[in-house]
Every structure is written in C-alpha cells, then in structure tokens.
Amino acid sequence: MSSLFDLSGKRAFVTGANTGIGQGIAVALAEAGAMVTCAGRSSMGETLARIEAAGGTGAERLADLSDTRAAVEIFETAAAEEGPFDILVNNAGIIRRADAIEFTEQDWDDVLDLNLKTAFFLAQAFGKAAIAGKRHGSIVNIASVLSFQGGIRVASYTASKGGIAGITRLLACEWADKGVNVNAIAPGYIATNNTEALREDPDRSAAILARIPAGRWGAPADIGGAAVFLASAAARYVHGAIIPVDGGWLAR
Ligand code: NAD
C-alpha cells in the first residue's frame, strides 16, 4: 500500500510554507519523497531545516504573493530553473477581523487578492504547464470550514474560502479529463498565527474547544497527511473534493 502514497521524484510548490499549515504540508510532502519548493514572503529557513532533518530536499522562492503577477512569475521562474511541478499547494492566506458593518474595502481587497486571486492564477499557471506538457498534476487548495459556514467578523475571509471551494470544483470540472486533479482541504481550528487572536480570547477559545468533537485544536501536522493523499496516486479518481480535516467540527 505504501507505494500508493509515495511521492518520490515529484516536485511540489507550496505557498506560505514558512510556518503553520503550509510548513506542516511542506514537511509531510517531503517525508513522502517529494522535492518541495517553499514559496512566500518570509525566509523558509526553519521549514527547509525540518525538510532536511526528515531526509528530504527543499528550495526557497521569495515574493509577496498578494501581488498576483509576482506570484505567477516566481512559480514560472522556479519551474524553468528547477523543472516542472507535479503538485501545487495553494496555502498562503490571511484573515482580517471586524464587524461586517465596519468592514473596510482594504480588508476586503487584501484578503481576496492573496487568498483567492493569487490562488486562482497560480492554479492557472500550473494547469497550463501540466496540460501543455501532458503531465499529470495535483492541485491542493487550502479551504476552511468557512467554505461551508458563515463565521462571524471575517467577511472577506469567508468570501475568499467560499470562492476557493467554488474554483476547486470549477477547475476539477474543466481539468479532470486532462490529467489534473484539483481538490481542497478544509482545516478546522488549527493552532497557528492565523488563529492566535481567537486562542487569546478566553471566551471564544473555550467555546470553540467545547464544540470540537476531537477535544483539541488541530496542529499543522494534522493537515499534512491529507495533502500527501490528495497529491498521491491514491487520489487519482478524487476530483473537486473539499475534505474537512477538522476534528469533527462540521459533523457536529
Ligand atoms: P499562518 O498565518 O501561520 O500562515 C499563513 C502563511 O501565509 C504564512 O506562511 C505567511 O507567511 C503566508 N503569507 C501571508 N501573507 C503573505 C503574502 N502577502 N505573501 C506571501 N505569503 C504570505 O496561518 P495558517 O493557519 O497556517 O494559514 C495557512 C492557510 O490555512 C491559510 O490559507 C488559512 O486561511 C488556512 N486555514 C487556517 C485555519 C486555522 O485554523 N489556522 C483554518 C482553516 C484554514
């Protein structure tokens, strides 16, 4: 069975891999044998050290990915210099919190530009190359439980994650017969920078924990296995799925 999940010889491009969920995914893909290019705006030193400690190989590409053109440019440069990619993980994302009634246009645009626009155009660049080169490809988008639920005080984030679910399905419909698997993971409440404000609010933190059937917040490593599955031969007939990895949150 292990060969079904073996990513040896595969090359992955993971956005926002310096910390949190992106780091957990980058390390898991490397442990499964993939060479992982870690892309983002901050040094990938810690992630590359973890990849190497696990016996894997990684590389770093830096850019502000909220600039969609810059994001596509580093993806295409990395593919030209290192070789074409087999796996794209659209993970980089931000969140802004404010009541809907006060939500600013800036907080709308900043979140949508990175979480949705850049994710779509990176998928486009990846799909274009894979289809033209007649190579199999796997795209793993990072959605959220807010792809299914409304949330509160995170209007642009909820819009971006609803959008990610939508484009995951759309791209799956367009590319499933062209050798590209497009799927998403919907993490629940994971202890990262993204959720620091929630964890520091004793009332919200306790309310969230009480609703998680698994009885704990998730860790970035909890997301890695689903990413390996979706990137691997084990998921070849999985298209347009949005897989919750949420300790049972959505089942409640
Ligand atoms: P995080 O803040 O630890 O990681 C976010 C990553 O995005 C970091 O690597 C950061 O450097 C990168 N990033 C942010 N702005 C960037 C920019 N302009 N250019 C390049 N990189 C940029 O948070 P996380 O929780 O690990 O978030 C990763 C993904 O998981 C996001 O898409 C987030 O929406 C999603 N997610 C998180 C949770 C959670 O509970 N933590 C739940 C559901 C979905």
Side-chain angles (χ1 to χ4, degrees):
M1 276 302 279
S2 69
S3 64
L4 265 182
F5 303 96
D6 183 11
L7 299 179
S8 299
K10 302 289 182 193
R11 297 177 25 72
F13 189 90
V14 181
T15 68
N18 60 301
T19 184
I21 291 172
Q23 183 178 70
I25 290 174
V27 172
L29 293 176
E31 282 173 346
M35 285 171 281
V36 184
T37 297
C38 300
R41 65 179 170 185
S42 318
S43 164
M44 299 292 160
E46 188 183 300
T47 306
L48 293 175
R50 288 196 191 188
I51 286 174
E52 277 158 32
T57 318
E60 171 183 273
R61 295 275 166 177
L62 296 184
D64 180 349
L65 303 179
S66 64
D67 177 343
T68 300
R69 281 190 194 168
V72 171
E73 199 176 299
I74 60 160
F75 174 80
E76 289 179 339
T77 305
E81 291 177 3
E82 298 166 28
F85 290 102
D86 308 286
I87 300 158
L88 167 67
V89 181
N90 269 317
N91 164 78
I94 53 171
I95 193 163
R96 296 280 164 76
R97 299 178 197 278
D99 292 342
I101 214 143
E102 287 164 359
F103 214 83
T104 65
E105 194 174 341
Q106 189 75 54
D107 282 345
W108 182 271
D109 288 345
D110 289 351
V111 171
L112 269 293
D113 281 352
L114 177 65
N115 295 18
L116 188 58
K117 185 177 171 190
T118 289
F120 173 76
F121 284 100
L122 280 176
Q124 183 191 62
F126 177 91
K128 222 182 254 181
I131 293 165
K134 298 199 187 317
R135 276 194 336 277
H136 179 269
S138 299
I139 297 177
V140 181
N141 291 322
I142 303 306
S144 166
V145 291
L146 297 189
S147 299
F148 304 96
Q149 301 179 310
I152 50 166
R153 307 191 72 249
V154 289
S156 58
Y157 186 81
T158 298
S160 75
K161 295 303 183 180
I164 278 287
I167 62 162
T168 297
R169 297 188 185 103
L170 172 131
L171 293 173
C173 293
E174 291 200 20
W175 295 347
D177 67 350
K178 295 181 173 58
V180 180
N181 289 77
V182 187
N183 292 290
I185 297 168
Y189 287 82
I190 313 297
T192 67
N193 298 334
N194 174 295
T195 50
E196 198 174 354
L198 289 180
R199 283 176 289 114
E200 281 174 358
D201 176 336
D203 295 337
R204 288 294 308 282
S205 176
I208 288 167
L209 188 59
R211 194 192 179 285
I212 300 174
R216 64 170 176 90
W217 284 65
D222 287 319
I223 310 299
V228 169
F229 164 63
L230 289 175
S232 76
R236 279 302 177 270
Y237 200 59
V238 181
H239 294 280
I242 297 151
I243 301 181
V245 181
D246 64 352
W249 175 274
L250 288 174
R252 192 103 176 195

